[in-house]
Amino acid sequence: MKNDPEFFPRLSKQHAPEYLWIGCADSRVPANQIINLPPGEVFVHRNIANVVVHTDLNCLSVLQYAIEILKVKHIIVCGHYGCGGIKAAMENRQHGLIDNWLRHITDVCRLHADKLEGLEEDKKYDLLCELNVMEQVRNVCSTTMVKNAWQAGAELSVHGWIYNIKNGILRDMDSCITSEKQLEEKYGNSV
Ligand code: CO
């Protein structure tokens, strides 16, 4: 504060982040530190295994507020390798209530069974972390808020990233989607 006495007065006056981060609740993947942005620059939603569930009012409310009020330009879905939620979903045993949330990950497994089949456990784990990001990007793009924003001509990009907690490398999964047309090209027509 000594270096920047105006920091808090400035911060308190406006909330106009350009980014919405949807990430895992894991304590090792804090949004601001990973993308090196100060307070005020990124709106954040986190849950176990960075899942965007079609009927999750918490996540949907965050999306609506971010898109319609804050008018963010970028939505980043960021997964991470070594995700405990993904690992738990792969295990053949109960973990309690959380297994109901993790059913969404087992759905991703089922949807991509052909890609995951026959892989070694480690490779399967990493690939499932990646496939989950792609699936959640698709879910973000399929929300009424994102569709309406695109239809209204808003500049809104949805990105899929994955973070490696072993080396700190953040990778863009080449999944930037900026329109409904791109969504169809990438994921097919069944959106
Ligand atoms: Co995680």
Side-chain angles (χ1 to χ4, degrees), residues 17-20 22 43 59-75 139-152 154-158:
E18 284 195 6
Y19 305 93
L20 165 62
I22 299 175
F43 199 56
C59 186
L60 293 174
S61 301
V62 167
L63 276 164
Q64 187 194 351
Y65 187 73
I67 294 167
E68 294 178 10
I69 310 297
L70 298 173
K71 300 194 186 302
V72 297
K73 293 195 166 57
H74 302 274
I75 299 173
N139 288 347
V140 169
C141 294
S142 304
T143 60
T144 51
M145 287 76 77
V146 171
K147 286 185 168 191
N148 290 345
W150 283 337
Q151 271 164 27
E155 262 182 56
L156 179 65
S157 311
V158 184

Side-chain angles (χ1 to χ4, degrees), residues 3 7 15 26 32-33 49 55 68 75 77 87 89 103 111 115 124 129-131 134 146 148 159 173 175 178 180 185:
N3 296 337
F7 180 81
H15 187 211
D26 191 308
N32 285 72
Q33 284 95 329
T55 53
E68 294 178 10
I75 299 173
V77 176
K87 191 168 181 38
R103 284 300 305 172
L111 280 166
K115 300 182 191 85
K124 189 177 169 185
C129 291
E130 294 170 4
L131 291 170
M134 302 305 287
V146 171
N148 290 345
H159 309 262
M173 297 180 68
S175 60
T178 57
E180 210 154 342
E185 281 166 10

Side-chain angles (χ1 to χ4, degrees), residues 24 26 49-50 80 83-85:
C24 185
D26 191 308
N50 44 272
H80 68 104
C83 181

Side-chain angles (χ1 to χ4, degrees), residues 36-98:
N36 198 24
L37 284 176
E41 301 291 328
V42 55
F43 199 56
V44 175
H45 175 78
R46 291 168 70 181
N47 62 41
I48 291 172
N50 44 272
V51 181
V52 177
V53 177
H54 309 308
T55 53
D56 176 6
L57 283 178
N58 183 356
C59 186
L60 293 174
S61 301
V62 167
L63 276 164
Q64 187 194 351
Y65 187 73
I67 294 167
E68 294 178 10
I69 310 297
L70 298 173
K71 300 194 186 302
V72 297
K73 293 195 166 57
H74 302 274
I75 299 173
I76 298 154
V77 176
C78 187
H80 68 104
Y81 295 115
C83 181
I86 305 272
K87 191 168 181 38
M90 288 169 64
E91 288 170 356
N92 204 10
R93 65 180 177 92
Q94 267 217 25
H95 309 83
L97 177 137
I98 194 174

